[in-house]
């Protein structure tokens, strides 16, 4: 059953174009301004910029504290409210299939790019003489001990509360799925619990809306610290590799993800515009996690069923990392070239196969990109793991791009899985992405990123969604 048959009579009816909110009152404008100011502060006053670290980390932590509860409540509410649990299982299988195919395409993009331009040739780095910093040594050690199968055993938590304390999304998803299935099986007896879950979900998004008001301050602190600590010397010394990664990522978004959107008869650029607040937050904080709740809310409003959003988006944050996949393949081949390690096409394809497993093993782990890269190099054995020090200093300048591509890939994946399930209201999504005023579905509002000047409103009194230019 699609949204059009379950929404209120007025739902999905396009009205005239939304009234435009002045640009200087939009949240994304202030976040972008804060990012620019943070860059200047970190560049011109690095000591002061480094001192701004607590501001950025406090904002990110305040967002992360809500991610676990929101993911849990959304998945439970979605699964417990469906009539056929088999559909939920099929949705999960379709999502995992899509994630693997998307990851393969992303890795191939990285392999092709570094094989064409071969930026590592001529570096002639001696792996035996590469000095490893303490922080990098810990990641190398963690990667060397990482087994491809550990992500499977890691899914099951040691306690109910542990995943929420540690922020382990995979384990939270596991608990939520089991809880949602049990609640669904209780039938009418579980109805009061389901009602409570739905009400708590609204409360969590309301809290998120309050925290989002501080997004410009958080983005300023994070960006000032990053530029102040790492400077621009790394950027200039290895600008070619950074530029190649960015160009490859952009091409992947436009060509591959854009083709998927075109297949759905949607436009990827209008979708990106619709999610501009979330993109600004990711750009400022270098992580996609704070944007997860906003993505879930906006996709649901755009015509994707709640249970699909609740299952696909959080799972994609651990299994559908297109940006990280491009980075892993590109970085591994760069290290091989820089250390004069020749790899045949067959060996490169074998490297890709190993990455499909090791990348999942480091999902949700701090420094996961380097752990996955080290685990891959250790498993293959032909490329020296110490070679990651060649790119360690520029990782910060590529983290934003990885997070942005990961975020975009998960948005597209959710829309595709909804289409695959025949529950996507493509016409509604098209109009929402275009910025037209569309009536909310069952109280779904614009999500956690309203214009800064707008007062808080109760969910049942919130006006129709409007996405201003």
């Amino acid at each position: 059953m699609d949204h059009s048959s379950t929404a209120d009579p007025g739902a999905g009816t396009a009205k005239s174009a939304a009234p435009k909110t002045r640009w200087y009152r939009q949240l994304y404008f202030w976040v972008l301004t804060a990012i620019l100011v943070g860059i200047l502060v970190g560049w011109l006053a690095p000591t002061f910029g480094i001192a701004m670290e607590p501001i950025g980390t406090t904002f990110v932590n305040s967002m992360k504290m809500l991610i676990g509860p929101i993911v849990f409540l959304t998945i439970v509410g979605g699964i417990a409210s469906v009539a056929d649990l088999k559909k939920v299982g099929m949705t999960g299988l379709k999502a995992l299939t899509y994630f693997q195919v998307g990851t393969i395409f992303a890795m191939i993009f990285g392999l092709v790019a570094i094989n064409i331009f071969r930026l590592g040739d001529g570096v002639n780095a001696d792996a035996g003489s590469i000095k490893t910093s303490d922080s990098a040594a810990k990641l190398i050690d963690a990667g060397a001990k990482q087994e491809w199968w550990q992500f499977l055993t890691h899914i099951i938590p040691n306690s109910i509360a542990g995943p929420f304390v540690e922020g382990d999304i995979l384990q939270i998803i596991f608990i939520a799925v089991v809880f949602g299935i049990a609640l669904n099986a209780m039938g009418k007896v579980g109805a009061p619990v389901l009602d409570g879950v739905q009400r708590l979900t609204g409360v969590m998004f309301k809290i998120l809306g309050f925290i989002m008001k501080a997004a410009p301050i958080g983005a300023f602190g994070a960006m000032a610290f990053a530029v102040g600590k790492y400077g621009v010397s790394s950027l200039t010394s290895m600008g070619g590799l950074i530029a190649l990664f960015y160009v490859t990522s952009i091409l992947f978004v436009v060509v591959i993800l854009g083709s998927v959107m075109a297949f759905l008869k949607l436009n990827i650029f209008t979708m990106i515009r619709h999610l501009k607040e979330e993109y600004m937050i990711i750009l400022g904080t270098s992580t996609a996690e704070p944007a997860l709740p906003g993505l879930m809310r906006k996709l649901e409003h755009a015509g994707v069923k709640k249970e699909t959003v609740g299952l696909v988006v959080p799972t994609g944050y651990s299994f559908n990392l297109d940006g990280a996949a491009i980075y892993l393949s590109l970085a591994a081949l760069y290290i091989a070239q820089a250390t004069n390690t020749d790899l045949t096409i067959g060996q490169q394809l074998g490297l890709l196969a190993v990455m499909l497993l090791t990348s999942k093993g480091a999902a949700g782990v701090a420094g996961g990109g380097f752990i996955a890269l080290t685990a891959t190099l250790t498993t293959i054995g032909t490329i020296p793991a110490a070679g990651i020090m060649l790119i360690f200093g520029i990782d910060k300048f590529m983290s934003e791009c990885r997070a942005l591509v990961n975020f975009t890939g998960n948005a597209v994946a959710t829309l595709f899985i909804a289409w695959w399930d025949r529950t996507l209201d493509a016409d509604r999504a098209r109009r929402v992405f275009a910025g037209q005023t569309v009536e909310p579905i069952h109280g779904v509002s614009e999500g956690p990123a309203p214009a800064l000047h707008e007062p808080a409103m109760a969910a049942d009194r919130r006006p129709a969604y409007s996405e201003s230019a």
Side-chain angles (χ1 to χ4, degrees):
M1 182 178 296
D2 61 21
H3 281 297
S4 61
S5 62
T6 59
D8 295 333
T13 303
K15 298 183 179 180
S16 58
K20 293 185 178 181
T21 304
R22 294 184 183 277
W23 56 272
Y24 57 83
R25 291 181 175 177
Q26 290 286 346
L27 179 63
Y28 76 89
F29 165 75
W30 288 104
V31 172
L32 180 59
T33 300
I35 291 172
L36 296 176
V37 173
I39 292 174
L40 291 175
V41 169
W43 177 35
L44 301 176
T47 303
F48 182 76
I50 293 174
M52 295 296 101
E53 180 184 16
I55 297 177
T57 55
T58 299
F59 171 75
V60 173
N61 289 337
S62 66
M63 294 288 290
K64 285 184 176 180
M65 76 176 182
L66 295 178
I67 292 175
I70 287 177
V71 168
F72 175 80
L73 293 170
T74 304
I75 293 177
V76 170
I79 293 178
S81 60
V82 299
D84 187 0
L85 286 178
K86 291 182 179 179
K87 292 184 178 180
V88 176
M90 288 302 300
T91 298
L93 289 175
K94 291 174 182 177
L96 292 176
T97 301
Y98 176 92
F99 295 162
Q100 286 297 92
V101 173
T103 300
I104 291 173
F105 272 102
M107 288 183 174
I108 290 175
F109 256 66
L111 289 177
V112 171
I114 196 64
N115 273 292
I116 292 175
F117 293 95
R118 303 192 63 84
L119 297 180
D121 288 350
V123 175
N124 299 320
D126 182 5
S129 62
I130 296 177
K131 295 182 178 180
T132 306
S133 64
D134 292 338
S135 56
K138 293 179 181 178
L139 295 176
I140 293 175
D141 183 62
K145 297 178 180 178
Q146 182 79 44
E147 299 290 346
W148 66 267
W149 46 263
Q150 286 182 342
F151 80 96
L152 292 174
T153 58
H154 177 72
I155 291 176
I156 301 177
N158 294 324
S159 67
I160 292 293
F164 294 92
V165 175
E166 299 171 3
D168 194 313
I169 297 298
L170 279 177
Q171 294 183 349
I172 292 174
I173 292 173
F174 175 80
I175 296 173
V177 169
V178 173
F179 191 95
I181 292 174
L183 186 58
N184 184 291
M186 292 181 67
K188 294 183 179 179
V189 178
V193 178
L194 177 58
D195 182 64
V197 167
Q198 293 171 341
R199 292 176 183 272
L200 281 174
T201 303
V203 172
M204 287 298 167
F205 274 107
K206 181 63 69 175
I207 297 174
L208 183 67
F210 296 152
I211 295 176
M212 284 293 294
K213 300 291 186 181
I217 300 175
F220 164 76
M223 188 58 67
F225 165 75
V227 177
K229 182 175 178 62
Y230 299 100
V232 294
S233 58
S234 297
L235 180 64
T236 55
S237 63
M238 297 194 69
L241 182 59
I242 297 172
L244 179 61
F245 175 61
Y246 272 75
V247 172
T248 303
S249 299
I250 292 172
L251 287 175
F252 175 82
V253 170
V254 174
V255 176
I256 300 299
L257 299 184
S259 297
V260 174
M261 290 290 284
F263 174 79
L264 301 177
K265 295 184 168 85
L266 298 173
N267 189 306
I268 192 167
F269 297 108
T270 59
M271 184 199 74
I272 291 174
R273 174 185 174 277
H274 178 67
L275 299 171
K276 58 182 177 290
E277 287 89 357
E278 285 71 27
Y279 280 110
M280 289 298 104
I281 293 170
I282 294 172
L283 185 62
T285 61
S286 299
T287 175
E289 288 184 337
L292 184 151
L295 175 63
M296 295 172 69
R297 197 71 162 175
K298 288 188 174 182
L299 286 177
E300 187 181 344
H301 175 74
V304 182
K305 295 184 71 173
K306 183 177 181 179
E307 55 266 30
T308 302
V309 172
L311 188 61
V312 177
V313 174
T315 307
Y317 261 61
S318 293
F319 290 96
N320 187 40
L321 308 175
D322 293 333
I326 295 172
Y327 167 79
L328 284 175
S329 58
L330 193 151
L333 263 294
Y334 174 82
I335 294 172
Q337 294 170 4
T339 56
N340 298 318
T341 304
D342 294 326
L343 297 178
T344 64
I345 296 299
Q347 288 175 315
Q348 292 185 30
L349 293 177
L351 185 69
L352 187 150
V354 173
M355 284 181 183
L356 287 174
L357 299 174
T358 55
S359 61
K360 305 298 184 295
V365 180
F370 272 102
I371 292 176
L373 180 58
T374 306
T376 302
L377 302 185
T378 303
T379 302
I380 294 297
T382 55
I383 306 174
I388 71 168
M389 283 303 300
L390 298 173
I391 60 174
F392 190 76
I394 63 171
D395 180 71
K396 183 68 184 82
F397 296 102
M398 296 195 278
S399 60
E400 286 90 353
C401 186
R402 284 201 302 266
L404 290 169
V405 177
N406 291 343
F407 179 82
T408 306
N410 282 312
V412 174
T414 307
L415 291 167
F416 183 83
I417 299 304
W419 169 86
W420 198 350
D421 277 342
R422 299 182 180 180
T423 59
L424 175 64
D425 188 343
D427 182 63
R428 180 186 178 91
R430 193 176 302 110
R431 287 183 277 113
V432 169
F433 292 163
Q436 295 180 6
T437 302
V438 180
E439 293 291 338
I441 297 178
H442 298 309
V444 178
S445 61
E446 71 269 19
L452 292 179
H453 74 293
E454 293 179 359
M457 302 179 68
D460 59 343
R461 294 187 293 109
R462 192 178 289 275
Y465 186 93
S466 64
E467 180 67 24
S468 301

